[in-house]
Amino acid sequence: MINKPLEQIERTDIESLIANEVREGRTLEYKEKLLTNNDGEKKEFLADVSSFANAGGGDILFGVREKRDAAGKTTGIPESAPGLQLHNLDETILRLENIIRDGVAPRLIAHIQPVAGFFNGPVIVIRISQSWNSPHMIVYQDWSRFYSRTSAGKYVLDVAELRTAFEQAGTFAEKAERFWNARA
């Protein structure tokens, strides 16, 4: 996650990730291209979003190219940030918000911020906060899965992990009360 409030992220912050070769991990994911209407791409995107919400939160950056290994696989290390060529930025943000709203249960809100100043257009940063209402499940068509994250990226939760997640979840009111009591 970029250690800055979302609305304050600038081009230099993204360039710093590239210069310092900040690898993808538990709180950061790079995507070179924006997802299309392909079902597989939507599932992958929803898996990323829900995994961040079920773990510690994080940022997805669209418009950042990763280095590739000898076999052509992405390495998780940013190479450049060409940005995205978009016809309509507002329409793109609305489409991403709708995919998230309709594809994750319980619903969650992701905050989206375009960052200008790149060769092809903006880099879109999607920030997903750690959820108070987890675990979140992908509900896309007839497909449903629960994901979380480690430093190696996202993974599907197994039965034992799901059981633990639901036991730890409690109710939103209980979580809020624990939060306020911890601060008192």
Side-chain angles (χ1 to χ4, degrees), residues 28-42:
L28 189 61
E29 182 86 21
Y30 301 116
K31 304 285 185 187
E32 183 174 354
K33 298 178 182 173
L34 200 58
L35 64 146
T36 64
N37 284 326
N38 174 294
D39 289 337
E41 289 181 12
K42 286 182 182 178

Side-chain angles (χ1 to χ4, degrees), residues 9 14 27 41 55-56 58 75 82 90 94 99 101 115-116 137 143 155 167 170:
I9 295 174
I14 295 168
T27 63
E41 289 181 12
T75 62
D90 290 336
L94 181 61
I99 291 169
R101 185 194 65 235
V115 180
M137 177 177 69
W143 195 73
Y155 68 96
E167 287 172 355

Side-chain angles (χ1 to χ4, degrees), residues 103-168:
V104 178
R107 285 186 175 177
L108 62 90
I109 296 173
H111 302 281
I112 301 174
Q113 179 71 37
V115 180
F118 298 93
F119 183 75
N120 290 334
V123 166
I124 293 180
V125 180
I126 301 177
R127 177 154 296 162
I128 302 100
S129 299
Q130 180 178 8
S131 178
W132 286 64
N133 200 21
S134 66
H136 294 273
M137 177 177 69
I138 297 172
V139 289
Y140 183 72
Q141 297 174 340
D142 290 334
W143 195 73
S144 57
R145 300 278 188 287
F146 288 88
Y147 286 86
S148 190
R149 291 188 78 82
T150 65
S151 59
K154 67 182 170 296
Y155 68 96
V156 178
L157 291 173
D158 66 20
V159 173
E161 290 169 318
L162 273 172
R163 184 175 289 119
T164 300
F166 278 107
E167 287 172 355
Q168 289 177 345

Side-chain angles (χ1 to χ4, degrees), residues 16-27:
S16 176
L17 294 173
I18 296 162
N20 294 313
E21 296 187 336
V22 177
R23 182 180 291 276
E24 288 181 325
R26 184 174 172 87
T27 63

Side-chain angles (χ1 to χ4, degrees), residues 74-86:
T74 57
T75 62
I77 300 170
E79 178 179 74
S80 64
L84 301 167
Q85 291 180 339
L86 303 173

